[in-house]
Amino acid sequence: MKSADSVLGGATPAVAVVDGSGAVIGWTQAAEELTGYHAADIFGRSIGTLLPADGRAGAFFPRKGMMEVRRRDGQVVIVRADAAPLTLGDDGRQESWLLSAIPVTIDLSTDTGALLESLIGSFPIAMAIWDRNLRCVWFNEAAEQLRDGYPYYRIGRSLTEVIPGIDNEGVRDAVREVLADGRPMIDREAHWAYGTEERVLSISLLPLTGADGSPLGVCSVALDFSNSKARDHLDLLRQAGVRLGSTLDVMSTAQELAELAIPVLADFVTVDLPEAMLPGTEPLRRLATTEAGTPAFRRAGVASIHEGAPESLWDRGEAVYVPPRSPFMDVLHSRRPHFEPVLDTSPGTWLECDPGRARMIHATGMHSLIVVPLEARGDVLGVAAFARTSNPAPFSKDDLLIAEELVTRAALSLDNARQYTRERLTALALQRDLLPHHLCGGDAVEVASRYLPSDTHEGVGGDWYDVIRLPDARLALVVGDVTGHGINAAAAMGRLRTAVRALAYLDLPPDELLTHLDHLMTEDTLTPDAMGATCLYAVYDPQTGHCTMSTAGHPPPAIITPTGDVTFPPLPPGTPIGVGLGTFQSYDLHLPAGTLLALYTDGLIETRQADLDAGMTRLGDVLARATQESATLEHMCATVIDSMVGDAPAEDDIALLMARILGPWGPSELTDPTA
């Protein structure tokens, strides 16, 4: 068994013996020097006089670890305490304990200082420990090297001292704040003059707590980023936090990772992902094996300091072939990075089985390689490779750490994008399956439609449209929008569309149909997640040329007259479906032959920059031009969507249903599909 002296690195600990109630019955000279109490003054008194309150009544329970000891003069000393049982009574209860304590001192020969110094003393990271009085009680060698510029790195010196020429107010206040609330302060940039140079440091403050959870002090960590390479690496990681995953698209995120690392970290970067990460692509297992191996990935990201990325054997989206014995497969299976600062191209290496890469490496002068697994939430999502060609310096261990940190952040973004893509594709498939596949307006009305899902983070929504043929050759035109996005909204849309069809076959007027739909939704039988919806329902009678419509919180349709004028009828406003008020009214109008109707959802006219009124005005202008330029309704739908959305990603789902009136017709001229 090791002696206390050997365990504590040669320092003499303060030792006391206490009985089962915590009363002091033994005291050493080292304990007297530590606490200021003579043996005669402390014998018989509770050790609680010196230690923090335990909060437990009854027998004495010793504690171990970092804690405070109150000296006789009122000062507080931070110590590391230990305890060992000595004797047991006849009843089996502990009668006495041996307690030892050694201060977290100034002398780096103590166990705490030696341990810290052995772990981080050789790193260019300045570390120091400050007690609750803001006094420095320990620092490492890197901090000592900064002492000329920051003289507070001195044992016993307090951050409250005023030193001419040193502005220390910000650091002092920050340390006090960390002591007060116990929350760390991470990566705060600081500047100070150091000789003839200005130092740029990243400062972090970490609270130190005792065994009872009380604050003991603060550990400061200062990373010197004054040299350009360190600053570039720090900027790289900061940019990664902002740019990676901004689109929630797997391919875009992979390309962002590749471009971020150029040229700060590497001259050439690739990001290769398995087919499971890229749904909708051709299965790799169907592709034939070549001299380069088997198809294992698809290239999702590539960037180079050279135009056209001549180092890349495959373009984005293409299958990437790798031999079984290659760093890429090793990294994928072992989940450990491949670090080859000097790329070995001699015979017998892995490149012998990969002639294509070998030729490329010789042709481009590639000489240093890092391959890192893209791992998130327990899954390996692919591999990222970093290489140097023009930069003559081989990769260092620091470069490997930066590459791993960068890839870790990217992997989380890729995993988020993967999950979002899967849900979006599922919702989109459900949405398209629930929408009508074939629209028919009969003899009296020509119809056409378009559906455009949003490109924003919310995913597929609950927009829908429908054309329902009714008795007496009448025709119902419907467009609606369920609030929310994703699978739930798409499923709710399907239930609402089915309900509208069922109610339409009851031959209800538009206002009554919406009232019944509102009741069904309010009773929570259609949308269990209590989603709301808007809806426009119109019925056209080709025998009379009359159209009756009603709206439930939905924008009015656009009506283009045979002469090309565009109007929006003043429909009586109605509450959205699901409110339960049932305040719907019908509106009648006459539609002569040649009239066009455009029913749409608000995604077509509303953007973050323009409200509904501005969007309707713009839609009227677009429809007026499209009527003159487009020969068919199909072409007109495409023209309207392109003109309203343009190249910008759609902010919300868009449903557009257009109808051209071919009648009115007499009863004998019409075919009744329900007859």
Side-chain angles (χ1 to χ4, degrees):
M1 181 176 180
K2 291 184 178 180
S3 66
D5 191 63
S6 66
V7 171
L8 296 173
T12 303
V15 176
V17 179
V18 300
D19 63 18
S21 65
V24 176
I25 58 176
W27 200 246
T28 64
Q29 180 65 31
E32 180 178 320
E33 294 173 355
L34 174 65
T35 66
Y37 285 94
H38 298 291
D41 300 324
I42 197 69
F43 275 155
R45 298 178 62 179
S46 172
I47 197 68
T49 304
L50 309 177
L51 301 179
D54 190 280
R56 290 177 288 189
F60 170 69
F61 292 94
R63 282 169 289 167
K64 302 179 181 181
M66 296 276 286
M67 63 180 62
E68 294 177 342
V69 170
R70 291 189 293 273
R71 287 175 47 86
R72 188 170 190 172
D73 58 10
Q75 292 188 13
V76 175
V77 180
I78 301 173
V79 302
R80 197 186 107 174
D82 204 349
L86 284 181
T87 60
L88 292 174
D90 294 337
D91 58 358
R93 293 185 179 182
Q94 194 67 48
E95 283 192 341
S96 60
W97 296 82
L98 176 69
L99 308 180
S100 63
I102 189 165
V104 182
T105 63
I106 310 190
D107 185 355
L108 290 182
S109 65
T110 65
D111 62 327
T112 304
L115 177 61
L116 287 171
E117 193 65 26
S118 66
L119 291 175
I120 49 81
S122 60
F123 286 80
I125 302 174
M127 297 186 66
I129 295 177
W130 315 83
D131 66 14
R132 292 198 307 179
N133 296 319
L134 308 190
R135 293 176 304 185
C136 180
V137 298
W138 178 86
F139 59 85
N140 68 346
E141 182 179 348
E144 186 175 8
Q145 294 174 0
L146 295 176
R147 194 161 59 187
D148 290 344
Y150 194 70
Y152 292 94
Y153 288 132
R154 190 181 299 276
I155 298 302
R157 174 158 282 173
S158 174
L159 294 172
T160 60
E161 294 183 32
V162 177
I163 301 177
I166 302 296
D167 182 8
N168 193 52
E169 182 178 357
V171 174
R172 182 188 65 231
D173 293 345
V175 172
R176 282 175 172 165
E177 183 179 342
V178 172
L179 278 171
D181 59 25
R183 291 196 298 266
M185 185 197 77
I186 305 297
D187 194 19
R188 182 82 57 84
E189 188 172 299
H191 299 256
W192 72 55
Y194 184 70
T196 59
E197 301 178 359
E198 182 185 25
R199 293 280 182 174
V200 181
L201 297 102
S202 170
I203 305 293
S204 297
L205 301 175
L206 311 172
L208 300 175
T209 57
D212 60 350
S214 62
L216 298 181
V218 171
C219 176
S220 64
V221 182
L223 288 78
D224 190 353
F225 288 100
S226 301
N227 67 80
S228 59
K229 181 178 180 180
R231 282 199 304 270
D232 289 343
H233 283 178
L234 180 61
D235 289 341
L236 174 63
L237 295 179
R238 286 174 175 168
Q239 289 182 37
V242 175
R243 292 176 54 185
L244 286 175
S246 59
T247 63
L248 278 181
D249 177 79
V250 172
M251 291 289 287
S252 297
T253 301
Q255 185 62 21
E256 287 169 351
L257 168 60
E259 293 175 353
L260 266 174
I262 301 294
V264 174
L265 183 60
D267 298 331
F268 172 60
V269 179
T270 60
V271 180
D272 298 331
L273 306 177
E275 62 180 309
M277 288 290 295
L278 300 167
T281 58
E282 181 184 1
L284 294 171
R285 59 182 176 273
R286 296 181 183 176
L287 304 178
T289 299
T290 68
E291 67 169 359
T294 58
F297 307 99
R298 287 199 179 273
R299 182 132 297 169
V302 59
S304 171
I305 62 171
H306 302 108
E307 185 176 357
E311 306 94 332
S312 181
L313 299 175
W314 299 280
D315 293 331
R316 291 184 67 205
E318 290 186 342
V320 175
Y321 292 78
V322 294
R325 191 172 66 90
S326 75
F328 304 95
M329 297 305 295
D330 289 343
V331 166
L332 189 67
H333 295 144
S334 70
R335 304 190 177 199
R336 293 192 299 270
H338 174 82
F339 179 56
E340 196 170 356
V342 178
L343 195 55
D344 187 0
T345 59
S346 59
T349 65
W350 64 273
L351 284 171
E352 194 170 70
C353 303
D354 200 340
R357 279 192 177 86
R359 288 191 294 269
M360 178 273 295
I361 287 171
H362 287 295
T364 60
M366 189 178 297
H367 62 87
S368 194
L369 177 67
I370 293 175
V371 185
V372 183
L374 285 154
E375 186 174 4
R377 301 180 178 96
D379 294 334
V380 178
L381 311 181
V383 296
F386 304 83
R388 284 182 175 171
T389 54
S390 298
N391 186 345
F395 284 121
S396 65
K397 287 289 187 179
D398 288 342
D399 294 323
L400 174 60
L401 291 174
I402 295 296
E404 289 181 299
E405 176 64 22
L406 186 63
V407 167
T408 296
R409 300 187 184 196
L412 290 173
S413 297
L414 279 170
D415 191 51
N416 290 337
R418 173 183 65 164
Q419 295 183 33
Y420 163 76
T421 299
R422 284 179 176 175
E423 180 177 342
R424 187 175 188 274
L425 289 175
T426 301
L428 185 59
L430 177 63
Q431 172 87 327
R432 293 193 182 280
D433 188 59
L434 293 174
L435 288 173
H437 296 177
H438 303 287
L439 297 178
C440 179
D443 301 327
V445 180
E446 177 189 359
V447 292
S449 63
R450 282 292 185 277
Y451 171 73
L452 180 67
S454 70
D455 293 322
T456 57
H457 295 183
E458 291 83 3
V460 175
D463 293 22
W464 91 93
Y465 55 85
D466 206 350
V467 176
I468 308 168
R469 301 180 71 178
L470 303 174
D472 300 326
R474 289 172 300 137
L475 196 71
L477 304 173
V478 190
V479 67
D481 185 1
V482 175
T483 59
H485 294 82
I487 294 177
N488 290 338
M493 175 274 291
R495 291 191 291 268
L496 282 171
R497 177 174 174 246
T498 301
V500 169
R501 277 190 160 261
L503 293 171
Y505 291 139
L506 297 178
D507 207 12
L508 298 174
D511 56 341
E512 292 186 24
L513 182 143
L514 294 181
T515 299
H516 283 285
L517 189 65
D518 183 50
H519 289 165
L520 287 173
M521 192 168 184
T522 305
E523 292 170 1
D524 212 24
T525 60
L526 291 180
T527 54
D529 294 327
M531 292 179 173
T534 64
C535 183
L536 174 67
Y537 184 79
V539 176
Y540 172 68
D541 186 349
Q543 298 183 35
T544 62
H546 281 82
C547 181
T548 304
M549 58 184 66
S550 184
T551 179
H554 202 86
I559 298 179
I560 305 95
T561 66
T563 59
D565 297 327
V566 181
T567 61
F568 294 89
L571 302 185
T575 58
I577 299 296
V579 175
L581 298 179
T583 54
F584 309 111
Q585 301 179 47
S586 292
Y587 181 85
D588 296 322
L589 66 164
H590 181 73
L591 301 179
T595 301
L596 283 172
L597 284 85
L599 287 70
Y600 52 88
T601 55
D602 59 3
L604 183 66
I605 59 174
E606 187 177 30
T607 65
R608 292 185 176 92
Q609 294 76 32
D611 59 15
L612 290 175
D613 290 337
M616 289 168 63
T617 301
R618 185 162 159 259
L619 175 61
D621 296 337
V622 169
L623 285 169
R625 291 194 302 270
T627 303
Q628 300 173 359
E629 299 171 359
S630 303
T632 65
L633 280 187
E634 292 288 346
H635 188 264
M636 184 176 292
C637 285
T639 300
V640 170
I641 295 290
D642 292 342
S643 300
M644 294 296 291
V645 178
D647 296 330
E651 297 178 6
D652 195 4
D653 288 22
I654 296 172
L656 174 63
L657 174 63
M658 297 200 70
R660 175 182 280 127
I661 303 300
L662 304 177
W665 307 90
S668 61
E669 302 174 275
L670 294 171
T671 302
D672 186 351
T674 63

